[in-house]
Amino acid sequence: MESLLAEPRIELVETDVSFGPRTQLICDAHDLPFQKHAFDAVVVQAVLQYVLEPSQCIHEIERVLKPDGLVYAESAFMQQVVHGCYDFGRFTHLGFRRLFRRFEEIRSGPVCGPGMALAWAGQFFLLSFTKGRHTRRVAHVLGRLGLFWLKYFDAALIDKPGTYDAASGFYFLGKKSVQVLSDRELIGLYRGAQTTNEVSSAFFAPTSVL
């Protein structure tokens, strides 16, 4: 966001559901208070995992964008619950791409890799032993101090096929389009490391009954 804020030719309208240092308008992403074709671009960063109906929010983004308008979005995949009772969804790379099926993809992929995902998991493993506010704060600090270094593996892993199966989060950059990506086309966009045989053996593995 710093690059956009530093460009004087870009007029930004920043919205949120609560007051913040740069919030200009409080509104609901399911029902944006803007006219049709009002914007050249929309940035929706770390939002879609916290809304009840992501598809409705994407519909609103389409509505307020001009023809050929751009959208940039980021959302979580391998992350634990962050905002308590206001945390609703996670998206695989293909799941996130399907949300934007009425957009032509310019670029998409992991925004944080498996190193960050492992750090998240480790920190919340420590938090699972705690309950009180004070002990949870201590666990937060210990987790960050002890596991922050894992994120540096992502510099080497971010473009690997396996990262598409284990990333902490994904991004999508696309252009509004009149064409709609079909589900058959969507499946062909898989970039992960799992083969068809792996998927079949995992899905149909026999279950042991104790």
Side-chain angles (χ1 to χ4, degrees), residues 61-135:
I61 290 172
E62 292 179 55
R63 183 182 64 80
V64 302
L65 273 176
K66 295 177 182 177
D68 294 330
L70 299 175
V71 64
Y72 175 80
E74 292 177 2
S75 196
F77 174 41
M78 298 293 284
Q79 292 182 13
Q80 283 69 24
V81 171
V82 177
H83 284 303
C85 61
Y86 299 106
D87 199 325
F88 301 110
R90 297 293 182 267
F91 303 96
T92 64
H93 177 247
L94 290 187
F96 203 43
R97 178 66 185 93
R98 191 176 189 277
L99 281 179
F100 295 95
R101 58 189 178 277
R102 288 183 172 82
F103 287 80
E104 176 187 341
E105 179 176 325
I106 297 173
R107 192 172 178 182
S108 71
V111 68
C112 299
M116 180 68 78
L118 186 57
W120 272 91
Q123 180 167 314
F124 276 80
F125 173 75
L126 294 177
L127 287 169
S128 67
F129 291 97
T130 68
K131 187 174 182 181
R133 182 177 298 181
H134 176 70
T135 54

